[in-house]
Amino acid sequence: MEIRRLDGTDRKLYELVAPLVMDPLILKQNNNYPFKTSSRHIWYIAFEGDDIIGFMPVKSSSAGLCIDNYYIKDDREDTISAILYRIEEDTAPASLLTALVHKRHVAAFTKNCFRTWIEWKNYEKMDYNPLLKKNGKTA
């Protein structure tokens, strides 16, 4: 698996993800919520060969970094872990990293040092806590 990083307005990003973000089945997986990007986003895209098997846009704001509106083909935990590992590598240790996580992916995020702090019907808001890794609490 290869993880590529692209800026939110990179032309290549549009070529790669447009067929996915406009696919009705993928939009349905995202609770029919549209995918968004801007110059404040960095996209992490997972490939197996030429096939995109997932992506996570990370938006930068004054409050920190946030993962939202992502896609993981077949809900594969290994894809989630690989993308999160790459995001962690690229993120400054002092940066606050949060994620709006689909209920079906909470366990995978938990295994990658995220913890829930708000629960809703379809999502959980989670934050990354590197201390969980240092304390040996990851799976």
Side-chain angles (χ1 to χ4, degrees):
M1 182 182 318
E2 175 191 0
I3 309 296
R4 294 184 201 164
R5 176 187 160 155
L6 292 172
D7 291 332
T9 57
D10 189 314
R11 286 181 186 256
K12 187 71 175 167
L13 173 68
Y14 294 93
E15 292 173 27
L16 292 171
V17 303
L20 295 170
V21 300
M22 296 185 340
D23 183 320
L25 294 175
I26 292 174
L27 283 169
K28 185 177 180 182
Q29 286 181 7
N30 200 41
N31 297 319
N32 293 317
Y33 196 79
F35 295 92
K36 299 175 185 176
T37 193
S38 71
S39 60
R40 295 183 359 208
H41 286 81
I42 299 293
W43 286 63
Y44 293 85
I45 305 170
F47 288 84
E48 276 188 345
D50 292 333
D51 296 328
I52 295 175
I53 58 170
F55 57 75
M56 285 187 191
V58 178
K59 184 178 179 182
S60 170
S61 73
S62 60
L65 304 172
C66 184
I67 299 167
D68 190 6
N69 295 321
Y70 61 90
Y71 163 71
I72 304 297
K73 183 178 181 181
D74 299 326
D75 298 320
R76 289 177 39 182
E77 191 173 298
D78 64 327
T79 304
I80 292 170
S81 292
I83 296 172
L84 290 175
Y85 180 80
R86 176 66 191 276
I87 292 169
E88 177 190 343
E89 282 185 322
D90 289 354
T91 304
S95 296
L96 175 64
L97 175 61
T98 62
L100 190 60
V101 178
H102 292 277
K103 288 283 190 178
R104 66 185 180 274
H105 298 143
V106 167
F109 273 76
T110 299
K111 288 180 182 178
N112 286 280
C113 301
F114 280 77
R115 63 180 176 191
T116 298
W117 55 285
I118 300 175
E119 289 188 45
W120 294 294
K121 180 180 176 186
N122 297 320
Y123 302 96
E124 292 188 18
K125 185 140 190 178
M126 304 182 81
D127 64 346
Y128 176 71
N129 185 346
L131 295 177
L132 294 175
K133 184 181 289 182
K134 290 178 184 173
N135 293 331
K137 296 191 180 189
T138 60

